[in-house]
Amino acid sequence: MPSPLRNGDTPLPAGAGGPPHRHQGRHFLSSVSEHKIRRLIALILLLRLAAFCFSLSAAIFMSTNSSRSPASPSWLHFHPFRFVFAANGIVAAYSLFEMGASIWEILKGATLLPESLQLWFDFSHDQVFAYILLSAEAAGLTEAQGKACAGAAESGGFCLQSYISVGLGFAGFAFLALSTLLSAYRVASYIITGSPFHF
Amino acid sequence: MPSPLRNGDTPLPAGAGGPPHRHQGRHFLSSVSEHKIRRLIALILLLRLAAFCFSLSAAIFMSTNSSRSPASPSWLHFHPFRFVFAANGIVAAYSLFEMGASIWEILKGATLLPESLQLWFDFSHDQVFAYILLSAEAAGLTEAQGKACAGAAESGGFCLQSYISVGLGFAGFAFLALSTLLSAYRVASYIITGSPFHF
């Protein structure tokens, strides 16, 4: 069922439909695209920054969740909380790397790794890390609602801090999931048109 | 950075590069594509079927996890297990609907809903349900490892059946995640080229 409207025939400015005007149309398109590409990379950078901030603070909140008093429970005793810490730490490190890659792309106009490798790397890691982070947060939330806070009126601070860490992690996941959408679009666009952005 | 290689110019058989041969090339492409499209829809149908089977059996395993003896615990007492049941039930129903839509597409050669609506519907629901199912399974696994099986030598069968249900749900998630990749590709291809499949 391929529709008769194909890529070369995407809406051009009026009168640029026929082959003689094609170059003019493409020039117009490419200057518009360049502007859009910069905006899209800036948007990706912003999402990465948000994911980095949230997951880093989730990891910090979780890892400092034991110093209150020697008697209070430590996050290290709860496997799901270790998972939350590890997943958030990995996502924070990955987001930092990706922010560097985006800034490089904005400054140099080319990807850090070879283009196809970079696009596949971004998409696959986004997708996998989003799944890992989400399952860590779901496990952490279940643990916080179950064992970790059961009959622990004395460890109210511990309980609250776990919830905050899990909540921050969920926010980090949301931004990671959004950047997964963009990197999926980029890789699909690269497969289909040979260019990472097509409008 | 749009590359000069655009969609209309994807590799054609030798000698079909110029405009006079374009129609011949497109005809060749379209007969190849039609074969590939059928194969891809069949693959999607297979993934849907697998997701349906696994999530349905996960839901059944979870919902029958209380009838052993009046004294043994019921899955209804554990919120994460209710979440596992609900998520698997939703995914099973959705997969059944999508299998119907795929079969319709194979038989009639057109999508059940209007094309763009169908593609967006598939992709968004795949993505969201995959996230929901994954977090349900992670929560269920944490509950099984924590409260549900704690000090329950007498409820060994209950514990085991919970694990089996969660495991089946994870398998259902894996197939749903794979079909998310395909539906993401379809929707991106539709945005970029106006056709849900482009090779």
Side-chain angles (χ1 to χ4, degrees), chain B residues 76-112:
Chain B
L76 282 167
H77 299 148
F78 301 97
H79 282 288
F81 289 169
R82 291 181 180 214
F83 185 21
V84 169
F85 172 73
N88 278 296
I90 290 169
V91 168
Y94 168 71
S95 298
L96 193 63
F97 169 76
E98 285 291 340
M99 276 160 63
S102 291
I103 291 170
W104 176 284
E105 202 173 341
I106 290 172
L107 293 181
K108 305 258 174 173
T111 49
L112 186 60

Side-chain angles (χ1 to χ4, degrees), chain A:
Chain A
M1 294 141 287
S3 108
L5 182 76
R6 297 179 84 84
N7 202 21
D9 308 320
T10 37
L12 292 172
H21 302 277
R22 188 57 75 83
H23 274 289
Q24 191 196 336
R26 190 167 286 178
H27 178 73
F28 173 80
L29 266 182
S30 88
S31 77
V32 169
S33 305
E34 208 152 299
H35 182 68
K36 280 193 178 175
I37 287 171
R38 278 187 180 280
R39 260 198 351 210
L40 206 59
I41 296 177
L43 178 63
I44 291 174
L45 182 60
L46 209 70
L47 291 173
R48 301 277 182 209
L49 180 66
F52 171 74
C53 294
F54 280 109
S55 55
L56 183 69
S57 41
I60 291 172
F61 258 78
M62 189 50 87
S63 65
T64 55
N65 198 8
S66 57
S67 52
R68 236 144 269 268
S69 86
S72 81
S74 161
W75 65 281
L76 282 167
H77 299 148
F78 300 96
H79 283 289
F81 288 169
R82 291 182 180 212
F83 185 22
V84 169
F85 172 74
N88 278 295
I90 289 169
V91 168
Y94 169 71
S95 298
L96 193 63
F97 168 77
E98 285 290 341
M99 277 161 62
S102 291
I103 291 170
W104 177 284
E105 202 173 340
I106 290 172
L107 294 181
K108 305 257 174 173
T111 49
L112 185 61
L113 307 174
E115 193 168 47
S116 81
L117 182 65
Q118 177 81 53
L119 296 178
W120 279 108
F121 178 89
D122 291 355
F123 169 64
S124 56
H125 284 76
D126 277 1
Q127 184 82 335
V128 169
F129 287 155
Y131 286 142
I132 290 177
L133 189 59
L134 180 65
S135 47
E137 303 308 333
L141 184 61
T142 309
E143 188 76 353
Q145 288 180 327
K147 259 196 330 193
C149 295
E154 81 283 2
S155 57
F158 176 78
C159 195
L160 182 65
Q161 196 165 335
S162 312
Y163 274 118
I164 292 173
S165 169
V166 168
L168 290 168
F170 271 118
F173 160 75
F175 288 107
L176 188 57
L178 287 178
S179 52
T180 304
L181 291 183
L182 290 180
S183 58
Y185 182 78
R186 281 185 85 179
V187 82
S189 173
Y190 185 78
I191 295 171
I192 294 165
T193 69
S195 143
F197 292 110
H198 180 80
F199 302 102

Side-chain angles (χ1 to χ4, degrees), chain B residues 118-181:
Chain B
Q118 177 81 53
L119 295 178
W120 279 109
F121 178 89
D122 291 356
F123 169 64
S124 55
H125 285 76
D126 278 2
Q127 184 82 335
V128 169
F129 287 155
Y131 286 142
I132 290 176
L133 189 58
L134 180 64
S135 46
E137 302 308 331
L141 185 61
T142 309
E143 188 77 353
Q145 289 180 327
K147 260 197 327 194
C149 295
E154 79 284 2
S155 58
F158 177 78
C159 194
L160 182 65
Q161 197 166 333
S162 314
Y163 275 118
I164 291 173
S165 170
V166 168
L168 289 169
F170 271 118
F173 160 75
F175 288 106
L176 189 57
L178 287 178
S179 52
T180 304
L181 292 182

